[in-house]
Amino acid sequence: MDETSPLLGYRADVGPAIPSPNLRPRHQELIPTPCGPIKSWSELSCRLKFYFCFTIASLLVLLGLTIASINMQQLDPGISEEDNLAVSLIQLVGILFCIYYIGRGILQDNRQELLKFLLSVLVLMVRSVVNFCVLTPQGKKELLVRFVCIMSLGVAHLVCSTLLICTPNMMAFRVGGALESLQDQYFLLNRCFSLVTFDLQAQLSLCILLTTSDPSITTQNSIILGVGVFWACLTAGVGAVGVLRESKLLVVVFMVQNLPQAAFFAYLMYTIVVKWHKDTSFTLEAAAVTGATISLVIKLVLIWSLVRLVKSFGQGLRERMSAPG
């Protein structure tokens, strides 16, 4: 091949510093964060940016309506049934967690967080329907705006989040590289981290339900519930740090911390069972048993996943997650 060939001529014109379009990266460097690497805002498509902003704005609107409803119920408790305060507080916690779920779900291409967001929105809609149906005409009038917003926005989020879950992504490859073992470890780590936060949401909702639904709650029970909330937050923090830092010691501590929580659940169930014969309504009992069962299932799946994850600690995934690119 002589020096006047088109290929050599193209190289001379372009220069070695400018890569061929086929060799240029199709994505930018990942940004390391305490919760794992995320994509930069400029890397998101216009449609994804629009949906993200729309979701955050709609959740903030629901958050404002929920806070206004809580303030109204606090100022005049007689305007609606007592269990509405519990529902409003649980919805408040759910909305805050949804903001966290959609943030990680989109910026990390995390299907598990998107799935939790979808489930949280679905539970929020079902709870709103059930609560709205049992309200008095006056209560329905006062909560109509919040109910309409939850249902209309919920349907839109269910459709959009389902489409996002079905969309393929390359996040596991970008973090773990071409090794399938590291990609599987990345998925497992995300599952454990997601279950830790999901378990925290379930426990907080259960504590709120029991605290606000019993007007005759004693000071001793209030202290126990307060300690339970603090212990749940502390346990979730230890579990999250242990998973992200690949610390076997913290994971063991997290598992040990779940033992007092099991005793706490047993105590909550006892306080519910002793009241079953005092009224003809079993709404509180059914909600408490359902919440405790869901939390127990989450814990069992989480512990099983942690046992599998600990075996893969120290294989290089942590270094890849903390490095940009």
Side-chain angles (χ1 to χ4, degrees):
M1 182 180 296
D2 57 18
E3 296 181 357
T4 61
S5 64
L7 181 59
L8 292 180
Y10 173 78
R11 284 183 177 178
D13 294 337
V14 175
I18 303 178
S20 170
N22 292 332
L23 298 179
R24 295 174 185 171
R26 299 180 181 179
H27 54 73
Q28 303 173 19
E29 289 187 347
L30 298 175
I31 302 174
T33 69
C35 295
I38 63 173
K39 297 188 293 186
S40 62
W41 178 255
S42 60
E43 188 175 342
L44 301 179
S45 64
C46 293
R47 288 183 296 179
L48 204 54
K49 289 179 181 178
F50 172 79
Y51 175 66
F52 181 82
C53 295
F54 167 74
T55 304
I56 297 298
S58 62
L59 290 174
L60 291 178
V61 170
L62 293 179
L63 184 65
L65 292 174
T66 304
I67 293 176
S69 177
I70 293 174
N71 290 333
M72 184 173 57
Q73 293 170 13
Q74 290 283 10
L75 293 175
D76 188 3
I79 63 176
S80 59
E81 293 82 354
E82 287 181 8
D83 61 343
N84 286 335
L85 179 60
V87 171
S88 298
L89 289 174
I90 292 174
Q91 286 182 348
L92 178 66
V93 172
I95 292 171
L96 293 176
F97 273 93
C98 281
I99 294 175
Y100 166 77
Y101 294 152
I102 196 65
R104 280 196 75 211
I106 290 181
L107 295 179
Q108 289 189 330
D109 276 341
N110 194 322
R111 284 195 181 99
Q112 294 168 341
E113 297 292 350
L114 291 174
L115 181 60
K116 285 161 55 182
F117 173 76
L118 187 149
L119 293 176
S120 298
V121 171
L122 184 61
V123 170
L124 189 67
M125 294 173 63
V126 172
R127 187 185 295 121
S128 298
V129 170
V130 174
N131 182 58
F132 190 80
C133 291
V134 300
L135 288 176
T136 61
Q138 179 65 20
K140 290 182 178 179
K141 181 180 179 180
E142 292 166 351
L143 295 181
L144 181 61
V145 174
R146 189 182 73 178
F147 175 75
V148 172
C149 288
I150 289 177
M151 298 308 297
S152 57
L153 294 175
V155 172
H157 289 316
L158 289 179
V159 174
C160 294
S161 58
T162 301
L163 294 176
L164 284 177
I165 292 173
C166 297
T167 302
N169 62 76
M170 293 289 293
M171 198 66 174
F173 179 83
R174 292 175 63 177
V175 175
L179 294 177
E180 293 185 2
S181 59
L182 285 178
Q183 295 181 30
D184 293 339
Q185 185 182 349
Y186 177 73
F187 280 123
L188 186 57
L189 183 143
N190 276 332
R191 181 194 306 169
C192 293
F193 190 86
S194 298
L195 287 173
V196 168
T197 55
F198 205 31
D199 179 53
L200 177 61
Q201 180 184 358
Q203 293 181 62
L204 292 179
S205 299
L206 182 60
C207 291
I208 290 173
L209 175 67
L210 297 177
T211 303
T212 58
S213 299
D214 187 2
S216 60
I217 188 170
T218 64
T219 303
Q220 179 183 358
N221 288 342
S222 299
I223 295 175
I224 293 176
L225 286 171
V227 173
V229 172
F230 170 77
W231 190 259
C233 296
L234 177 63
T235 302
V238 172
V241 174
V243 168
L244 292 176
R245 294 194 175 184
E246 296 188 352
S247 173
K248 294 182 180 180
L249 176 61
L250 290 180
V251 171
V252 172
V253 172
F254 170 78
M255 292 184 177
V256 174
Q257 284 180 308
N258 280 273
L259 297 179
Q261 286 187 345
F264 177 66
F265 284 146
Y267 172 79
L268 293 181
M269 290 301 99
Y270 169 77
T271 59
I272 293 299
V273 169
V274 295
K275 299 176 184 177
W276 277 5
H277 63 283
K278 295 183 179 180
D279 52 42
T280 57
S281 176
F282 294 93
T283 303
L284 172 61
E285 292 82 350
V289 172
T290 301
T293 302
I294 293 175
S295 183
L296 179 60
V297 172
I298 294 174
K299 284 184 179 297
L300 292 177
V301 177
L302 173 58
I303 292 175
W304 173 74
S305 300
L306 281 175
V307 172
R308 294 181 54 200
L309 180 65
V310 168
K311 297 179 181 178
S312 59
F313 279 177
Q315 297 183 6
L317 180 62
R318 178 187 174 189
E319 289 73 18
R320 290 175 179 267
M321 291 182 63
S322 60

